[in-house]
Amino acid sequence: MADDAIRALAARLRSAGRVTVLTGAGVSAASGVPTFRGADGLWRRFRAETLATPEAFAKDPQLVWEWYGWRRELIAACEPNPAHRVLAAWTARHEGWRVVTQNVDDLHLVAGTRDLIRLHGSIWEFCCWDGCDGRPGRWTDTCLPLPAPTPRCIHCGGLARPAVVWFGESLDPGDTRRASAASSCDVFIATGTSAVVYPAAGFIGEARARGAFSVEINTEATPTSSLVDLTIHGRAEEVFPAVDALLLNAAC
Ligand code: BJW
């Protein structure tokens, strides 16, 4: 691990009032959740265009539900790792420190993260495929295996779908607004994300443009690496505990 870079990040964080951490699939990798685009990424075995689009669902809902059913069972067996735990502790200790995640696994919530912003929804929630008027518009369903090969809307009995954001779909405007507001901060850390999916990846540039000190923590280079103020080449589950240990020591 890059010790100098870790010390530099800890020094920045010590004097920071507002800190935002944007997380991606790499943060859950140590928990056993496959990433999308890495060497063992989900997309290697399943093409995104085939499964994570409204068009794919319209064409073959059962195939898409099979993929989500498989992922739900896999995620249910996973627990938060040290990266999730440190980030949850930060949101508890510091009023202005936020986590914005692209992950749908909810492991940040299981770890106890406060005020989590989930940009791409949750794999544990469903909504109506036809967009019926029933309220609540999305509901939690943690059934394993899935309640049916093609789960139904609890309101109208039509097809239900996972309450996640597929390619070509708009993010929840409230989530986008809150993530954009969180981009006004002293330190912005992007971690475990390939930084290729928008609008999430755009928050890194937005934070920089508003004067944040920007940091990337990743095992590999991404399109963002050359743009940020500090890159830390390492695993999130090792880097965050190392940074936190420095912060806690300084607090003694
Ligand atoms: C580690 C590690 C360890 C490993 N420690 N690191 C602007 C420019 C270009 C395109 C667009 C644009 N604006 C919109 C678009 C189109 C599109 C898009 O971004 N396309 C690009 C791919 C080209 N965006 C959209 O369609 C979005 N909607 C939208 O913009 O609406 C407005 C609109 C509507 C209509 C028309 C036009 C505009 C929606 C995007 C939704 C993304 N959905 C998914 C699926 C969610 C549901 C599900 O999970 O099933 O979200 S796709 C998938 O990618 C998932 C992820 O959240 C997302 C990001 O992936 P992430 O987290 O970065 O994972 P990986 O695998 O890519 O990277 C892992 C990283 O971790 C790697 O870098 C590793 O090195 C690292 N790593 N182990 C630290 N231990």
Side-chain angles (χ1 to χ4, degrees), residues 23-27 29-30 35-38 41 43 48 52 67-68 71 102-104 120 123 164-171 191-199 217-222 234-237:
T23 69
V27 162
T35 60
F36 291 91
R37 299 175 185 80
W43 300 145
W67 188 54
Y68 279 93
R71 288 174 61 199
Q102 299 169 80
N103 299 344
V104 300
H120 294 162
I123 202 164
V164 297
V165 183
W166 284 327
F167 284 115
E169 293 187 313
S170 297
L171 280 67
T191 181
T193 176
S194 55
V196 295
V197 173
Y198 284 80
I217 301 171
N218 201 308
T219 48
E220 291 171 12
T222 75
R235 296 175 189 279
E237 67 275 15

Side-chain angles (χ1 to χ4, degrees), residues 111-188:
T113 301
R114 294 189 183 174
D115 296 328
L116 178 69
I117 301 170
R118 296 180 296 180
L119 289 176
H120 294 162
S122 168
I123 202 164
W124 302 111
E125 292 179 6
F126 295 173
C127 58
C128 180
W129 166 245
D130 294 322
C132 80
D133 291 335
R135 289 290 171 265
R138 54 175 58 205
W139 61 94
T140 301
D141 188 312
T142 53
C143 276
L144 290 174
L146 286 169
T150 50
R152 316 307 296 182
C153 173
I154 55 171
H155 305 296
C156 70
L159 255 183
R161 56 162 283 179
V164 297
V165 183
W166 284 327
F167 284 115
E169 293 187 313
S170 297
L171 280 67
D172 177 87
D175 289 337
T176 312
R177 214 169 24 248
R178 291 195 302 143
S180 177
S183 304
S184 288
C185 56
D186 302 309
V187 179
F188 187 98

Side-chain angles (χ1 to χ4, degrees), residues 170-248:
S170 297
L171 280 67
D172 177 87
D175 289 337
T176 312
R177 214 169 24 248
R178 291 195 302 143
S180 177
S183 304
S184 288
C185 56
D186 302 309
V187 179
F188 187 98
I189 304 172
T191 181
T193 176
S194 55
V196 295
V197 173
Y198 284 80
F203 292 123
I204 306 164
E206 202 170 319
R208 277 182 58 74
R210 295 183 191 166
F213 181 78
S214 57
V215 183
E216 179 178 68
I217 301 171
N218 201 308
T219 48
E220 291 171 12
T222 75
T224 288
S225 308
S226 57
L227 306 175
V228 293
D229 299 304
L230 180 68
T231 54
I232 301 182
H233 184 79
R235 296 175 189 279
E237 67 275 15
E238 293 171 0
V239 173
F240 282 106
V243 173
D244 195 42
L246 291 175
L247 294 178
L248 290 172

Side-chain angles (χ1 to χ4, degrees), residues 29-110:
S31 296
V33 184
T35 60
F36 291 91
R37 299 175 185 80
D40 299 318
L42 283 172
W43 300 145
R44 293 286 159 116
R45 280 169 284 151
F46 303 94
R47 289 179 61 232
E49 303 76 26
T50 322
L51 296 168
T53 66
E55 292 76 16
F57 191 80
K59 189 172 159 207
D60 193 344
Q62 187 162 343
L63 173 71
V64 175
W65 267 122
E66 272 171 28
W67 188 54
Y68 279 93
W70 170 73
R71 288 174 61 199
R72 281 160 61 99
E73 300 214 19
L74 195 152
I75 290 167
C78 296
E79 291 186 356
N81 66 57
H84 296 109
R85 285 196 285 271
V86 167
L87 293 175
W90 284 359
T91 62
R93 288 208 302 261
H94 307 279
E95 186 72 22
W97 294 28
R98 303 295 305 273
V99 178
V100 179
T101 192
Q102 299 169 80
N103 299 344
V104 300
D105 57 36
D106 280 358
L107 289 177
H108 284 300
L109 286 183
V110 177

